[in-house]
Amino acid sequence: MHTTLVSSLALVAPGTPIRTGDTAWLLVATALVLLMTPALGFFYGGMVRTKNVLNTLMMSFSAMGVVGVAWVLVGYSLAFAPGGKWVGGLDNVFLRGVGLGGGSWGATPHLLYVCYQATFAIITVALISGAVVERMRFGAYLAFMAIWSVVVYAPVAHWVWGGGWLAQLGALDFAGGTVVHVNAGVAALVAATVLGRRKDYGRQALLPHNATYVLLGAGLLWFGWFGFNAGSALAANGTAALAFANTLFAPCATLVVWMLIDLARERRTTAVGAATGIVVGLVAITPAAGFVSPLGALALGAVAAFPSYFAILHRPRTRLDDSLDVFAAHGTGGMVGALLTGVFAQAVWGGTDGLLFGNPSLLAKQALAVLAVAAYSGVATVAILRGLALVVPLRRTATEESLGLDLVEHGEEGYARGEGAVLVLPELVPVGAPAHGDLVSPLSSQGFTSVEEAL
Amino acid sequence: MHTTLVSSLALVAPGTPIRTGDTAWLLVATALVLLMTPALGFFYGGMVRTKNVLNTLMMSFSAMGVVGVAWVLVGYSLAFAPGGKWVGGLDNVFLRGVGLGGGSWGATPHLLYVCYQATFAIITVALISGAVVERMRFGAYLAFMAIWSVVVYAPVAHWVWGGGWLAQLGALDFAGGTVVHVNAGVAALVAATVLGRRKDYGRQALLPHNATYVLLGAGLLWFGWFGFNAGSALAANGTAALAFANTLFAPCATLVVWMLIDLARERRTTAVGAATGIVVGLVAITPAAGFVSPLGALALGAVAAFPSYFAILHRPRTRLDDSLDVFAAHGTGGMVGALLTGVFAQAVWGGTDGLLFGNPSLLAKQALAVLAVAAYSGVATVAILRGLALVVPLRRTATEESLGLDLVEHGEEGYARGEGAVLVLPELVPVGAPAHGDLVSPLSSQGFTSVEEAL
Amino acid sequence: MHTTLVSSLALVAPGTPIRTGDTAWLLVATALVLLMTPALGFFYGGMVRTKNVLNTLMMSFSAMGVVGVAWVLVGYSLAFAPGGKWVGGLDNVFLRGVGLGGGSWGATPHLLYVCYQATFAIITVALISGAVVERMRFGAYLAFMAIWSVVVYAPVAHWVWGGGWLAQLGALDFAGGTVVHVNAGVAALVAATVLGRRKDYGRQALLPHNATYVLLGAGLLWFGWFGFNAGSALAANGTAALAFANTLFAPCATLVVWMLIDLARERRTTAVGAATGIVVGLVAITPAAGFVSPLGALALGAVAAFPSYFAILHRPRTRLDDSLDVFAAHGTGGMVGALLTGVFAQAVWGGTDGLLFGNPSLLAKQALAVLAVAAYSGVATVAILRGLALVVPLRRTATEESLGLDLVEHGEEGYARGEGAVLVLPELVPVGAPAHGDLVSPLSSQGFTSVEEAL
Amino acid sequence: MKLIVAVIRQEKLREVLEALFRAEVRGVTVSGVQGHGGELERVETYRGTRVKMELQEKVRLEIGVSEPFVERTVAAILRSARTGEVGDGKLFVLPLDKVYRIRTGEEDEAAVTPAPVAMDELLGI
Amino acid sequence: MKLIVAVIRQEKLREVLEALFRAEVRGVTVSGVQGHGGELERVETYRGTRVKMELQEKVRLEIGVSEPFVERTVAAILRSARTGEVGDGKLFVLPLDKVYRIRTGEEDEAAVTPAPVAMDELLGI
Amino acid sequence: MKLIVAVIRQEKLREVLEALFRAEVRGVTVSGVQGHGGELERVETYRGTRVKMELQEKVRLEIGVSEPFVERTVAAILRSARTGEVGDGKLFVLPLDKVYRIRTGEEDEAAVTPAPVAMDELLGI
Ligand SMILES: Nc1ncnc2c1ncn2[C@@H]1O[C@H](COP(=O)(O)OP(=O)(O)O)[C@@H](O)[C@H]1O
Ligand SMILES: Nc1ncnc2c1ncn2[C@@H]1O[C@H](COP(=O)(O)OP(=O)(O)O)[C@@H](O)[C@H]1O
Ligand SMILES: Nc1ncnc2c1ncn2[C@@H]1O[C@H](COP(=O)(O)OP(=O)(O)O)[C@@H](O)[C@H]1O
């Protein structure tokens, strides 16, 4: 370890020159994409019940740690190091050979490109959590994230962006419609199925405990998504501007259409719906952002509202407890976006001409890419979860679900009022002893008076 | 439609070369300004009562959809396409002719410039909402936004920034003191008057339900405002740096002075006051940001605290229910800023010399600009609202006000606890039927047991 | 004043040419660092009790005003104007001589560099507030901030970054491990000691009233910290990329290790702990960010978890009411980071070779820098607080602590429900009269009916 | 001694308090509750899931009064809390064995008579 | 007339409400409370400080009923709120001197009988 | 059987609970309420609008006890909740017709006697 460490510490690979303007933008874009993960935490966290808010937030926040480390160690290499059709090589394991010069990705430092891609890996994994909130064991979730990011995310990223078979085929995915959203959406569907429904699902109304957090998350997601899409140009150029404009205008259209459907159906425009509409528009434009015209983006955003709207409407009537509708929003939105890229893309704006411009073959390639990613993600996610289940139970018991995962997994409350809380001095509860039981027997009056007054 | 769409999709207008550094900055600045609208939602949302928090947030969030779409379709063209003294032409309707090259605005892509200006249009309209919260019908508000952004915002932007008569006159408005703040502030004043007071106004204490959101909003607004002001340099140059510094230091001064006035008057420094002080400082420096020295900005910020402070203090003693003091903060702050630009501006820092540097004529032009914008905005806003009122009632009934607009307009609660919530299966409530009535008759025991257990 | 003002307004110092890419990045980085102060407010504000949330937020927000103004007036000059070993000169007092050209700091406008450094001064002072929350008088705090920023922060910044003795010695501090974190951490320790414990400390459980705010703060802090660390390259170059990567990966490692220690000790991973772990990782990498390899950063982040984890665990068992563990997180983290910089730094990545690369002398210099900053900060902070105490009491009484500082200092509640709130017309309460007493005698029925109905 | 418990509409709280003060009832304890009665129910929608809110936000008042005050207290509440729409709430009168003022240990009538000291301060408003 | 006060588990609220409606008790007032009894306590940890939460979240029901309804109301609650684990809660029956329906001023039995008007609307659901 | 209802200061809750446990009263239900009495009122200011807060945050305790426990329970509360300042609150003793322990259906005295099972577990702390 020591020698490896020191030797890899010592290596700074050279590269082509970098450009300050492009680097400035990629620095910011990377920070913006990282911000999306906490933002997602709030988007999701607002939608669960009070007793699970911290657990839901932690599912996003912990992804930054676990997936970040996995990415440095092996994920990046498997996705982007020179390799074959299916997976990258091991040249950049532990970030060996990653320096500060430019390269095939552009005139920006290689290490920064690693960071940029890391933030994509992180958010993709965090997206899945919406399907398993309020019941999955946190330990199992941490293990799942580490494995999935390496076994599923890295290869799929390689297929599309690392020079793998989908790239060679000519399928278009500007910023991750398939790699991120179809991938996470299908994994979410599968995970919800493997985990099973929450005990109260379909019996009780499980309401968003804080709709303002849903909106906060959506606002910050939109902000961060400019880094996601316009950053994917990997330069501060016209393509970045196009991707930016499309990331602004497509969700505008989705939001307007979503509110109109809501109005038509309910005569009321829901706020959680508006937040969802924004996210769906962002998802749908993601694969197309640098390939379609702004007016095309407006049309794409408007059209994309429908499938996800009705998928979300339909889902609660099924047995599928994809609790926060990850599949309906990201899976469906990603698929629609990927397919519509095959319709609206235009060579003159930087893509390949799509259906609307006389080239139906692009649509076929897009469909193939969607299917391939969905199939691999689905199968691999089942395998990972079933494998994990052999080692550790995947979900909490019904009683623990009732107590809420904030208490059970984290030993905290989101909004503690402190009434009736009594300090326990460390000496009273031996370290490690009561532990996960969370519950100790009732306090005698001694318990109360034993609080050491003279600290 | 199909031909128009396809033909405009196909067009990518050429332009002058772009510079990566400038483009990088404008990409970020645009994202920052967009973030200001959700931020404004929280700034406003924290100030209303719990039962109206979602409605207030939605007034900002929906602006991103409605105004964004209107801007693409016609707003941009009316503001910035070559035109006359009063309004721009129709050359860029549907963004026709907008490409990715640079132009008169600078070495940044035209399309990005469209986006940047779109975010200004969005926030300007959203600002007005603070005057009509807790009572305006959401449908009427959506229509109002679409119309106002085209009929009021676009021409006024043309006057000042699109080469219109105020630009020709030589009035200075670096980043929107008149176009954005005077414009929105006066519209707010008028809207509050036309809508009338909330039924509880002046009778009950209408308290901010979450002062922490007010601070959150103020913090994010300040952050985004760097994009607003320093971005208005449209390049990453010395002017941007100057505007940035002034956007940092002027609100520092306003905040300090605001706290001192609070201390002097009440012996306490209110947090909502501090947040307001920050926003007022930001508003006041907006027209001056690229024209005055940093020390001038400090002075301007300090002076600007007074009029708005006392306007806010005075307003609740009047019959005017400009509920969140949009006029006192933005109208007054914008006017003071625009006039003080005529005092502190300096040729050597990039402006025209102002009163303090021997040129009183600038102040006269500034005053004229303020008056013209205020007059047009006032008259046009009245006309739009009165016109709308012929088609749809503008405000909710007293009963609906009591229920709160979250329930009435959006069918949701901001912070749902879920006690006593019962799932209604879609089959039980025919689509469209109960609708806006929001209220159905009480559940019989059948109602309870009819919840389908076996989804 | 008038002449000074005008003359300094008139001066625009020339400078070397600026580069747009570097300027673009520094503009953004400065905005990012400013955002950290509101973020810190939420990180801290979530950890206090409901009745002190506004006061805690205000301790951060007010720093933006007070320290910002002090920085413009004299702070910047004392830190960065040409001077001696110990403190800068007075050449840039009132920002005289600060123009828009580049200089020794890089190819970015001087004025922007002033802003960038201002945001560091602001957050450093705000950090200290965590040690004195829930009891310090706000007026005394405002005065403390103004003095400390000038008397402690400015000289220490000069030592390390302004060409002072530590810079000459060759101690490394990339982005403020000593200047910001050790400095604030030690000041916090001292302030907590001078102020004394909260009356309920060690007697009652003082719980974080909103753990989601702690996570919100941590997420925004991480986002802003990219400006803090990668911005410290003062250019959009390879060093910025390196600092960025290290600021991403080190906290990933800290977060993972923190969760593992939590799991090992409690079988639960706390959310407040995770947020703390992120911040500790960010603190620790700060001095090293541009000097160590990414793998070194990962190691550094992992190691840095331990001292702070156990410091936080230990502190509540002592008499020291450093309420939000500023010393354990920032002081300890900053020291560990500064020392590990002496271990992991590498010439090939831009630093000086450290212990691991055969140069133990760097570690000695780092230790000296830590000691010097800690000593000066400790002594000067005691002196300032004891001096202030002669003029004004530093803390609130026990009764006022019970009432909560939101009410006592700001006359507001964080989350007002408005039940039982009665409007008081200004005429009824003479301005200035009841003031800080906060309490008036009970309402007679007249009181109720005197609410003027016909405003 | 009686304990009067009333469940009223939230928006009537201020009027009821005023009426109580006019009836010279100065001590009252208030809490937020939720009620189910004959009122219409709210329907809310979250992402396509419709829920009926069976419970309405109400306010509960609890007032300990000595016998001579019972009638006027009841009358004051009944008058000021009424809108005539379904959902105005209920008023319960419970027998009370004993009342203590915690501050002084005073019992029964004495316990619910306002402290005279407060009167002086009234002038200071 | 009796006032029935029950402290039950949060998660049982829905079942208890259903049982009450089946027992034709339509009016009820609910509030969130915290209870201490024989239940195990939760331990939470905040930055290394351990705290024991002595109070559990419970729900309190308050129901005014006329004599003939007392027994079935009590039975309905006892049956539907029971899990058999420590912490199921308590039920108190208090004597009631008087009940008023605020809307109409109706007293006692009349005050707690559901308004007939509501029945028609049931069909409209 | 009596139902003891006490309205006390928030900050006294912990002391009162301790006193109750010392008096061997183990079961208690607590809720947050707001009270108006002779206390001074808080003035708050929001953007220049001044408001008087008429209601103070208080805590309400509800304890069902058997006759032999009434006196010591009352004494424990009166002693531990007192500060001597206006605003200490009130204590009401109400007659109780019946108490049930929901878990077992036990009635009256049996219903409010702590379950013996809990005693064993005490050792495990
Ligand atoms: N029997 C009851 N016991 C306790 N509270 C009741 C009872 N009946 C009604 N309430 C309370 O009174 C409120 C209004 O009652 P409701 O029957 O809807 O109106 P009305 O009294 O006007 O017919 C309910 O929301 C509930 O809180
Ligand atoms: N004597 C009492 N007076 C008032 N409330 C009580 C009393 N005893 C218990 N409770 C309430 O009932 C709840 C459950 O009581 P507990 O004694 O734990 O369970 P069980 O009744 O199953 O033995 C407590 O949390 C508390 O709210
Ligand atoms: N008559 C009453 N009925 C119900 N609650 C009361 C009554 N009088 C006072 N209270 C409650 O007791 C609290 C303190 O009462 P107050 O009269 O201010 O103090 P003190 O009892 O010390 O004179 C009040 O806030 C209120 O909650």
Side-chain angles (χ1 to χ4, degrees), chain A residues 29-326:
Chain A
T30 308
L32 286 171
V33 186
L34 189 76
L35 182 64
M36 290 174 68
T37 297
L40 182 73
F42 279 86
F43 183 70
Y44 280 175
M47 276 191 269
V48 299
R49 288 169 290 174
T50 308
K51 63 186 174 184
N52 296 304
V53 60
L54 293 182
N55 182 248
T56 304
L57 281 163
M58 280 293 280
M59 283 183 151
S60 287
F61 276 77
S62 63
M64 297 196 285
V66 171
V67 180
V69 170
W71 190 251
V72 168
L73 300 182
V74 316
Y76 174 74
S77 193
L78 291 182
F80 291 97
K85 270 174 113 74
W86 304 104
V87 68
L90 297 174
D91 289 4
N92 298 139
V93 159
F94 293 161
L95 301 191
R96 262 181 305 153
V98 173
L100 301 177
S104 57
W105 56 88
T108 53
H110 192 176
L111 187 59
L112 182 56
Y113 182 64
V114 172
C115 294
Y116 186 63
Q117 294 297 343
T119 58
F120 278 63
I122 289 167
I123 183 120
T124 305
V125 180
L127 281 171
I128 305 172
S129 68
V132 296
V133 291
E134 304 201 307
R135 61 198 185 286
M136 187 166 185
R137 290 176 76 95
F138 194 65
Y141 173 75
L142 293 178
F144 171 76
M145 283 199 295
I147 300 170
W148 195 91
S149 73
V150 171
V151 172
V152 183
Y153 182 79
V156 171
H158 182 77
W159 297 356
V160 178
W161 294 330
W165 71 279
L166 284 173
Q168 290 163 17
L169 179 75
L172 296 181
D173 186 0
F174 190 74
T178 49
V179 178
V180 174
H181 297 288
V182 173
N183 199 355
V186 171
L189 187 72
V190 164
T193 310
V194 173
L195 267 279
R197 294 177 274 158
R198 286 167 291 177
K199 75 176 182 52
D200 298 332
Y201 178 73
R203 298 162 173 274
Q204 285 184 24
L206 306 171
L207 307 184
H209 87 286
N210 190 336
T212 69
Y213 279 2
V214 179
L215 287 163
L216 177 66
L220 289 175
L221 279 171
W222 199 342
F223 178 60
W225 221 295
F226 291 116
F228 200 91
N229 286 0
S232 289
L234 298 167
N237 57 14
T239 306
L242 176 63
F244 192 106
N246 291 344
T247 305
L248 176 57
F249 297 130
C252 289
T254 318
L255 173 56
V256 168
V257 172
W258 202 281
M259 291 195 297
L260 291 176
I261 311 178
D262 250 7
L263 268 177
R265 281 185 39 82
E266 306 260 347
R267 293 201 225 146
R268 301 191 287 198
T269 50
T270 63
V272 172
T276 308
I278 289 171
V279 170
V280 166
L282 289 163
V283 168
I285 197 61
T286 294
F291 303 135
V292 305
S293 73
L295 220 57
L298 213 64
L300 190 156
V303 170
F306 292 90
S308 288
Y309 188 99
F310 289 98
I312 287 177
L313 202 66
H314 178 66
R315 205 265 314 150
R317 296 162 205 201
T318 69
R319 290 162 167 284
L320 174 71
D321 184 13
D322 174 3
S323 316
L324 309 181
D325 283 308
V326 184

Side-chain angles (χ1 to χ4, degrees), chain B residues 226-264:
Chain B
F226 291 116
F228 200 91
N229 286 359
S232 289
L234 298 169
N237 57 13
T239 306
L242 175 64
F244 192 106
N246 291 345
T247 306
L248 176 57
F249 298 130
C252 289
T254 318
L255 173 56
V256 168
V257 172
W258 202 282
M259 291 195 295
L260 291 176
I261 310 178
D262 250 5
L263 268 177

Side-chain angles (χ1 to χ4, degrees), chain D residues 7-9 33-40 54-59 83-92, chain E residues 1-4 25-30 61-66 99-104 106 111-115:
Chain D
V7 177
I8 63 168
R9 293 178 188 278
V33 297
Q34 298 177 289
H36 182 89
E39 305 107 315
L40 295 183
E54 300 250 301
L55 300 174
Q56 312 293 328
E57 300 291 328
K58 300 278 167 187
V59 170
T83 68
E85 304 282 303
V86 175
D88 279 350
K90 300 279 181 283
L91 189 151
F92 304 110
Chain E
M1 305 295 300
K2 298 286 178 208
L3 186 69
I4 297 177
V25 177
R26 288 278 153 69
V28 48
T29 296
V30 170
L61 304 176
E62 195 166 51
I63 312 166
V65 289
S66 53
V99 185
Y100 300 87
R101 184 193 297 278
I102 293 176
R103 173 164 50 93
T104 55
E106 285 164 289
V112 293
T113 310

Side-chain angles (χ1 to χ4, degrees), chain B residues 78-102:
Chain B
L78 291 183
F80 291 98
K85 268 174 115 77
W86 304 105
V87 69
L90 297 174
D91 290 3
N92 298 140
V93 159
F94 294 160
L95 301 192
R96 263 180 305 152
V98 173
L100 301 176

Side-chain angles (χ1 to χ4, degrees), chain C residues 403-453:
Chain C
L403 282 168
L405 268 58
D406 287 0
L407 183 64
V408 172
E409 294 289 3
H410 310 290
E412 294 163 299
E413 290 171 68
Y415 316 96
R417 280 179 306 179
E419 276 166 14
V422 178
L423 267 180
V424 183
L425 283 200
E427 290 66 31
L428 294 179
V429 182
V431 170
H436 136 267
D438 325 315
L439 299 173
V440 299
S441 59
L443 246 202
S444 63
S445 61
Q446 287 84 337
F448 268 99
T449 51
S450 70
V451 176
E452 202 181 54
E453 296 287 349

